[in-house]
Amino acid sequence: MTLIKSISGIRGTIGGKTGDNLTPVDVVKFAAAFGTLLKKKKGTTKVVIGRDARLSGEMVSTLVTSTLQGLGIDVVDLGLSTTPTVEIAVPAEKAAGGIILTASHNPIQWNALKLLNEKGEFISGKDGEEVLKIAENEDFEFAPVTKLGKYEKKDNYLQIHIDQILKLPLVDVAAVQSKGFKVVVDAVNSTGGIAVPMLLKAMGVSVKELYCEPTGHFPHNPEPLPEHLTDISREIKKGKYDLGIVVDPDVDRLAFVCEDGTPFGEEYTLVAVADYVLNAGKKKKGNTVSNLSSTRALRDVTEKAGGEYAAAAVGEVNVVTMMKDTNAVIGGEGNGGVIFPELHYGRDALVGIALFLTHLAKTEMTVSRLRSTYPNYIISKNKIELTPDIDVDKVLEAVKTKYKKQPVNTIDGVKIEFDKEWVHLRKSNTEPIIRIYAESDMEVKAENLAKKIISDIKEIISEKTLA
């Protein structure tokens, strides 16, 4: 199945048959459903849209714009933009919501509609369910010809976004400028190629651009994992650079490469930025949040600074909710997603870069040396495939019972803690598999922990009490 409908939006591959892929008909249907929801909630309304540089982006944007105008909704189009920029623009424009046209880290054939509320944050689960219901029933009513929505293009929001970052008290432009950093940027030929160099040059950083032409032709798999970053590592080894910066196509995920070409580790993007934020404002203790599948290192760094750490269910909307509940000063996800509420409640690679560079300038360390100051954990990511007739919830319940003497968290699957090791089991929403993430201070220990849990699951299934 290549059309995935969820409460946070719709994504799929371009082309093929309606209902199986993200075809023009599907784009129109879901844009109409979201617009209809906003009209029910807000009456006459305005929506901000923006897109990454995907090959299908212009086509999808045209369809979405026309559909919203057909509903009588005014459209403010940011054009080529980033996910966090659209999130900032929605409240600035006093809009009822936003739509970001991006499939994030997915390959070139994918696109998606990410849906935002009036605060520029991802819509709630309840609103998401309502959008799916409206789409399924095709419960739309379009506007008469005299009441069609207006269209306005605004191309200044990247600059507005960057200006807001540079004004943050914890971003020290002078300290960064004084270091004369030389940086390589891999923006996978999407909109990060516009935004990241703009930010770096404003901070006095010398930039070597690698794959920064926003053509939408991704030169490698766009997910910023070490195995996809061989070109930037090679470039860093050739020249005398201070670090490499890598973003995904919509600029909400951020990874660094050390000065010797080795990966900093995207799990440690948030750890390093949080370390700076927690210790820069020593006057008061700060709390942090990440999701259950993120490294324990954030908890260690938080507790060392005198703050409290909380774990949220997987998904940005869940992390943001927990951050608000715990008054967190920094949070995010281990996939390189940094959420800094002083700017806005959304994963933002640009603010992550500015805070990291300030941290690096003030510590006066190399990037590899900075990385060595943090607790070193390794996450082993696995999955176990099940036959469709197996009740995954009962399997997870049995695992929970087996390990009831350990600290167990069940807000999202089952997470079991063993001193400084943990394992997290989650069922997939789209296929009959259980995802198993295990973390320890050594790769072999993390893998062995995962194997032990997989063995337990197989034993539970073979007992046939759950089948």
Side-chain angles (χ1 to χ4, degrees):
M1 184 176 69
T2 50
L3 185 69
I4 301 168
K5 306 164 194 172
S6 76
I7 57 170
S8 58
I10 176 170
R11 63 192 167 102
T13 51
I14 299 297
K17 293 189 173 181
T18 301
D20 290 333
N21 306 80
L22 189 59
T23 68
V25 174
D26 297 294
V27 170
V28 168
K29 185 160 86 169
F30 283 91
F34 182 56
T36 299
L37 173 76
L38 294 182
K39 280 180 72 179
K40 276 185 186 173
K41 292 179 76 170
K42 302 285 180 184
T44 307
T45 193
K46 184 199 304 188
V47 171
V48 176
I49 67 167
R51 66 182 178 90
D52 69 15
R54 283 168 193 276
L55 300 179
S56 58
E58 194 171 349
M59 175 194 76
V60 173
S61 181
T62 302
L63 290 165
V64 168
T65 297
S66 298
T67 303
L68 293 173
Q69 287 182 273
L71 287 163
I73 293 171
D74 294 340
V75 176
V76 176
D77 183 4
L78 308 192
L80 287 173
S81 192
T82 77
T83 284
T85 307
V86 178
E87 290 171 347
I88 281 171
V90 170
E93 288 291 323
K94 297 183 172 58
I99 304 178
I100 310 158
L101 309 172
T102 174
S104 199
H105 62 272
N106 286 95
I108 198 166
Q109 66 270 31
W110 289 80
N111 212 329
L113 280 64
K114 288 185 178 180
L115 309 176
L116 305 175
N117 63 20
E118 74 281 1
K119 295 176 184 172
E121 298 165 15
F122 285 108
I123 62 171
S124 67
K126 184 181 172 192
D127 282 350
E129 293 285 2
E130 182 68 13
V131 169
L132 296 178
K133 191 169 148 192
I134 293 167
E136 189 179 345
N137 297 331
E138 298 190 5
D139 188 13
F140 325 124
E141 187 170 335
F142 292 95
V145 70
T146 54
K147 294 189 178 175
L148 298 176
K150 301 186 191 74
Y151 174 81
E152 185 179 7
K153 185 128 189 182
K154 290 196 174 180
D155 57 8
N156 62 332
Y157 264 99
L158 279 176
Q159 190 62 58
I160 290 169
H161 185 179
I162 287 167
D163 289 345
Q164 287 182 11
I165 290 170
L166 298 178
K167 285 177 188 164
L168 291 167
L170 290 186
V171 173
D172 191 333
V173 177
V176 173
Q177 272 179 334
S178 72
K179 293 297 171 189
F181 289 134
K182 286 180 66 185
V183 169
V184 188
V185 176
D186 178 352
V188 76
N189 284 341
S190 190
T191 48
I194 307 167
V196 176
M198 271 175 75
L199 171 68
L200 293 173
K201 286 166 187 174
M203 296 186 78
V205 175
S206 172
V207 184
K208 162 78 175 179
E209 297 183 13
L210 184 70
Y211 309 136
C212 285
E213 287 290 319
T215 61
H217 290 283
F218 304 152
H220 55 78
N221 185 306
E223 188 165 15
L225 301 175
E227 58 266 32
H228 307 146
L229 307 180
T230 51
D231 290 354
I232 190 170
S233 293
R234 198 178 301 119
E235 177 63 35
I236 289 169
K237 284 173 187 170
K238 271 190 338 195
K240 290 186 177 175
Y241 297 102
D242 294 287
L243 76 154
I245 295 174
V246 184
V247 293
D248 67 339
D250 68 324
V251 201
D252 63 359
R253 285 176 66 174
L254 171 63
F256 298 112
V257 182
C258 298
E259 78 289 346
D260 58 2
T262 59
F264 190 78
E266 67 169 357
E267 284 285 338
Y268 282 82
T269 298
L270 176 58
V271 175
V273 173
D275 177 39
Y276 169 60
V277 170
L278 291 166
N279 290 291
K282 281 272 188 187
K283 292 171 193 162
K284 59 176 185 175
K285 293 174 183 174
N287 299 330
T288 66
V289 173
S290 65
N291 68 38
L292 285 167
S293 289
S294 299
T295 179
R296 187 201 156 89
L298 180 63
R299 176 176 168 180
D300 290 356
V301 164
T302 305
E303 290 175 352
K304 186 179 176 186
E308 290 183 11
Y309 165 80
V314 173
E316 184 173 324
V317 68
N318 300 316
V319 174
V320 166
T321 300
M322 181 74 80
M323 287 179 71
K324 290 177 179 178
D325 290 347
T326 60
N327 201 24
V329 295
I330 184 86
E333 298 184 298
N335 60 11
V338 174
I339 301 173
F340 188 53
E342 200 170 321
L343 183 64
H344 69 117
Y345 277 105
R347 289 181 300 164
D348 188 334
L350 298 176
V351 79
I353 291 166
L355 292 168
F356 183 87
L357 287 174
T358 302
H359 186 31
L360 194 63
K362 288 179 182 288
T363 60
E364 301 192 337
M365 295 181 191
T366 62
V367 177
S368 59
R369 174 79 186 99
L370 178 64
R371 174 65 180 80
S372 73
T373 65
Y374 299 123
N376 196 43
Y377 295 110
I378 307 288
I379 295 180
S380 173
K381 298 183 178 182
N382 308 269
K383 64 182 179 182
I384 182 167
E385 296 191 13
L386 307 171
T387 54
D389 58 312
I390 291 171
D391 188 327
V392 180
D393 291 322
K394 286 188 178 176
V395 171
L396 294 180
E397 189 63 34
V399 173
K400 180 180 127 185
T401 302
K402 183 177 176 71
Y403 289 98
K404 63 187 176 187
K405 290 182 180 175
Q406 301 298 131
V408 174
N409 187 320
T410 56
I411 61 169
D412 183 7
V414 176
K415 182 172 183 177
I416 311 157
E417 293 191 40
F418 305 90
D419 192 22
K420 291 206 168 187
E421 297 181 329
W422 56 261
V423 63
H424 184 205
L425 293 78
R426 294 178 72 236
K427 68 174 181 177
S428 167
N429 294 324
T430 56
E431 50 190 327
I433 64 171
I434 296 175
R435 300 189 190 281
I436 300 154
Y437 291 6
E439 183 177 66
S440 185
D441 59 358
M442 289 173 62
E443 188 170 3
V444 66
K445 285 162 75 175
E447 286 173 357
N448 285 341
L449 180 57
K451 283 176 189 168
K452 170 75 175 80
I453 299 297
I454 289 169
S455 170
D456 290 339
I457 291 170
K458 287 180 175 172
E459 190 180 320
I460 288 163
I461 292 167
S462 69
E463 288 171 356
K464 297 189 184 295
T465 57
L466 304 167

